[in-house]
Amino acid sequence: MTIRVLLADDQALLRSAFRILVDSEPGMEVVGEASDGAEAVRLAGELGADIVLMDIRMPGTDGLAATRLISADPELSGVRVVMLTTFEVDEYVVESLRAGASGFLGKGAEPEELLAAIRTVAAGESLLSPAATTALIASFLSQGAPPGEPPARDGRAGGDGGDGGAGRLDVLTGREREVLGLVAAGLSNGEIAERLTVSPLTVKTHVNRAMAKLGARDRAQLVVIAYESGLVRPRV
């Protein structure tokens, strides 16, 4: 199946370069281009995109705001966002994940890295490794949410605005909560299976059920939820 890619960047020259790269790869095609976040949200639905390569800094609606809109729209539940930026700092990584992005990549990445990122996210995985995601989120959340940026309330990657988010985990079974904690600790499915003496397939089932119940798009979102709900505490 062909992976349908939407390019969102305010620089036409970069969009052209990305288009040539993606269209030259078997099994991928660029279905459209957007020069700002609002256009990206609109085209993601109209063009049936699977992946949006989203620049963080764009005029008007920026990449973070656009990603939040895509993540919050049930009709765009199948769309995955990979953030692209020249500013590779921890704060941007975590805010991208909080917004609902499935991955984060610097614009200086090699062509092979970009294509691999598209395949990884299209397969339903997060672009950052669980351990790397955990370290970044633990570091950032230990400092609290940035000013004027309360936790999201759409049930995807933030708190619920009431008890700090802890109550949202009530939908999980005891085992699902346990698996969620281990996911947030940076363990792979295989490592979790060994820890709990179950099969990797069983772990995958628990992870998928937790994602469905919590409205998380991927594993990275589960890590965010685990920290913001207080299930796992950042190590300062």
Side-chain angles (χ1 to χ4, degrees):
M1 186 177 71
T2 300
I3 302 173
R4 299 169 60 82
V5 180
L6 173 66
L7 307 176
D9 196 300
D10 61 323
Q11 298 183 50
L13 186 59
L14 278 177
R15 294 200 308 271
S16 296
F18 288 145
R19 175 181 281 275
I20 292 172
L21 175 64
V22 173
D23 281 343
S24 67
E25 182 70 6
M28 296 184 192
E29 67 172 330
V30 173
V31 295
E33 299 181 20
S35 59
D36 60 51
E39 186 178 21
V41 175
R42 177 175 62 80
L43 291 179
E46 291 181 0
L47 302 178
D50 300 309
I51 302 293
V52 180
L53 295 182
M54 183 87 73
D55 185 22
I56 282 186
R57 291 193 171 184
M58 292 185 287
T61 304
D62 66 15
L64 288 173
T67 301
R68 292 189 188 99
L69 291 172
I70 290 174
S71 179
D73 189 340
E75 295 186 0
L76 300 179
S77 61
V79 180
R80 300 290 181 267
V81 176
V82 175
M83 284 293 195
L84 297 174
T85 182
T86 54
F87 304 94
E88 297 182 65
V89 295
D90 290 359
E91 288 83 355
Y92 279 139
V93 176
V94 178
E95 284 309 299
S96 296
L97 296 175
R98 276 176 159 168
S102 297
F104 186 97
L105 198 65
K107 288 184 177 179
E110 295 294 325
E112 294 77 12
E113 290 181 87
L114 179 62
L115 296 174
I118 293 173
R119 294 191 199 93
T120 296
V121 173
E125 301 295 329
S126 57
L127 184 54
L128 292 171
S129 68
T133 304
T134 299
L136 288 168
I137 292 175
S139 173
F140 193 61
L141 293 188
S142 67
Q143 304 170 27
E149 189 70 26
R153 302 189 183 202
D154 61 7
R156 295 183 183 273
D160 61 21
D163 58 0
R168 70 185 305 190
L169 300 185
D170 290 345
V171 298
L172 301 181
T173 65
R175 180 62 100 180
E176 288 165 355
R177 185 186 293 250
E178 185 177 15
V179 169
L180 174 58
L182 294 174
V183 167
L187 275 65
S188 67
N189 283 359
E191 292 169 332
I192 295 173
E194 184 175 352
R195 177 79 63 89
L196 301 180
T197 319
V198 297
S199 71
L201 180 59
T202 297
V203 173
K204 183 178 181 180
T205 298
H206 288 311
V207 170
N208 288 340
R209 287 176 178 170
M211 286 172 54
K213 290 179 179 180
L214 296 173
R217 286 177 167 239
D218 55 30
R219 198 181 190 90
Q221 298 300 301
L222 284 181
V223 176
V224 177
I225 291 171
Y227 277 95
E228 291 195 331
S229 66
L231 177 66
V232 179
R233 299 293 182 183
R235 294 181 179 179
V236 182

